[in-house]
Amino acid sequence: MAFKPAAIQGHDPRAPTPDEDLHPDHPVLADGTEPNFETYLYYAKQQREKEAAESKSDDMERGFWANILWGKGGEKLAPTNFADEKKGDTSGPVSEGEYRAASSALRTASWGSVFYLITTDILGPYTNPWAFSQVGYGPGVACFIAFAIMAAYGGLLLWYMFMKLDSERHPLRSFGDLAYRIYGTWFRHVCNILQSLQLIINVGLIILLNGQGLSQVSKFKLCFSICNIVWMLAGMLLGQIRTLRKFSWVANLSVWLNVITLIITMGAVANTPPNYAGANLPPGPVQTVAISNLPFEDRLNGIMQMVFSYGGAMIFIEFMAEMRRPMDFWKAMAVAQLFITIIYMFFGLFVYSYQGQFVLNIANQGISLYSLQTVANATSLTAGVIAAALYGNIGVKVIYNDVFVELFRAPPLTVKSGKYLFAVSIVVYWALAFIIASAIPQFSALTALVAAVCTFQFSYTFPPFMLLGYMMQNTALSASSPVSKHSLINLWNFILTLACLATAVLAAYSAIKTIVTQFDTSGSATSFGCQSPVQ
C-alpha cells in the first residue's frame, strides 16, 4: 500500500513559498517535490484558526438565534483579486494568489443550505417500502437503524479529515482530493471513477423513475423511451446552474416537494387499494411479514435500497468545500441524518403495512387511483429532476476538474471559456445518463447494483479506510511508539473496512444475478422499448 510521504525529505511547511512556484490544483514546488502530509496539516490548522476568528465576528453582527436558525455565512463574500471575466479575456494561466482568492470567494454556503442539499434525495424515501417488503419488519428496522448509525460515523470521519487537511492555499474540492492526500494517486483515481459512475447512474435512475411517472400520467399512451427523453432535456436545462449556493434555493423546494409527495402517498395507500397491475400480481389480501422468507438475493437487493437513504457521503467533501464555515458541517449532517432516519423509515413502514406484497419500488407509483397518482407524480417528478440536476452538477465538476483540467489543460470553471465548456459537458452528461437508463430499465436491480458497487463504498467502506491511513501518517510524524493510543481505533476501522467490502461483494453479485434473471423473463421491460416497466 503506497502512502504519500509524510515528512521525509519534504518541504518545510513553515518556509515561505513563492506563488509562482505553485500549481493551483496539486502544486509542485520548484525543486520538483509536492506538498507533503505535514504541509496540508499546517495550512489547515491556520485555516481553521482564521474561520474561528471570523465566526466570532459573525456572531456579534448577526446574533445568536439568527445563526442557530439559518446557519452562518452565505451573505459575506471574501474579496477577490482576479480579473472580472466581463472586462477581458481570462482564459490565460491563473496564478496561485488568484486561485486562493477564487477559492475563498466560493466558500459561501451555510450549514442550513447544506442541510437542504443533503436531503435533496429522490431515491431514498420512495424505495424504502419495497425494501421492507423484501426483508420484513424486524430485519428492515434493524438494518435501517444500523445503516443510520454507521453512515453518521462515516460522515463524521470525513468531516474530521477535511478539517485537518483543507485550507484556502491547498483546498479540498472532491472526495478524490481527500483520497489523494492520504493514499496518493491510485486511490484518488479509484474514488473519482466510482464517484463519477455513481453520479451518472443516479441521474440515469432518476430519468428512469421520472419516465415511469410520466408514462403513468399519460396513461401509457406515450412511448416510454420518449418519456425518458423529455426528462433528459429538462435536466440539460436545469443542470446549467453551476454553483451549489444557487442550487440550495432549488434544493429547498425539492425537500418540501418530497415531503408533500410522501404525505399524498400515505393518504392514498391508506384509503385506496394497491396498484395490482403495476405490481404484476393478481388482486388478493395484503400480506405483511415480520421476517421475510424470500431468496437471499432478493432480501439483499432490498437491503441495498436502504443504502440509498444514506448515500450522500460521496459529495460531502464538495458540500464542505463550498461552506463558509466547514466546522459547522456536522450540524447539517446530524439534522439531515435524523430527518432521513425518522421520516424515511416511518414512510417505509406505513406504506408497507397498507400494501404489503403489492408495494412498487417507487412507492407513489403504487397508488391505484389515477387522480391521486397523477398529483403525486407531478410533485415527485419535479423533485426528481432537481435531485438529478444536483447529481449531474457534481458529476460534471468531478470529471471536468480531474480529467479535462488536469489531463487536457482545459480552462477552470471560474473563467468564461470554462463556463461554456461546462454547459456543453452538462448536455453530454445527461445524454449518457439517458442511454444507461434506457439500456437497463430494471430499476430495483440497477439501484441495488450501484448501491453495492459505489454508494456503499463512499458511505461505509472508504471513511474508516481513509481514517486508518490518516492515523498511520499522523503517528509517523510524532516521536511516539508505533503502538500508539490509536491502535484500537485503527484495528476497529480495519475490521470495519473488511466487513463492508465483503457485504458489497455479496450485494453486487445478487444484483447482477437479478438483472440477468429479469432480462430472461418474458414480459419485462426491454432496452429502449416503448413498454413502461409499471405497465
Side-chain angles (χ1 to χ4, degrees), residues 82-95 98-99 102 106 242 400-401 405 409-423:
F82 49 89
D84 187 340
E85 65 185 36
K86 296 181 181 179
K87 296 181 181 179
D89 181 16
T90 59
S91 59
V94 180
S95 72
E98 293 171 339
Y99 182 77
L106 290 174
R242 288 182 298 107
Y400 187 88
N401 288 323
V405 173
R409 300 297 183 232
L413 293 176
T414 53
V415 303
K416 183 180 293 186
S417 54
K419 293 175 182 179
Y420 289 148
L421 285 175
F422 177 83

Side-chain angles (χ1 to χ4, degrees), residues 383-448:
V385 75
I386 292 173
L390 173 63
Y391 294 143
N393 177 280
I394 300 294
V396 169
K397 285 180 179 177
V398 171
I399 296 174
Y400 187 88
N401 288 323
D402 295 323
V403 177
F404 293 106
V405 173
E406 187 166 327
L407 298 182
F408 300 106
R409 300 297 183 232
L413 293 176
T414 53
V415 303
K416 183 180 293 186
S417 54
K419 293 175 182 179
Y420 289 148
L421 285 175
F422 177 83
V424 174
S425 300
I426 286 289
V427 174
V428 175
Y429 194 86
W430 276 81
L432 292 174
F434 162 76
I435 293 173
I436 293 173
S438 298
I440 311 176
Q442 316 297 342
F443 184 84
S444 298
L446 187 56
T447 52

Side-chain angles (χ1 to χ4, degrees), residues 437-461:
S438 298
I440 311 176
Q442 316 297 342
F443 184 84
S444 298
L446 187 56
T447 52
L449 180 60
V450 71
V453 175
C454 303
T455 312
F456 201 85
Q457 316 310 322
F458 290 107
S459 295
Y460 302 105
T461 308

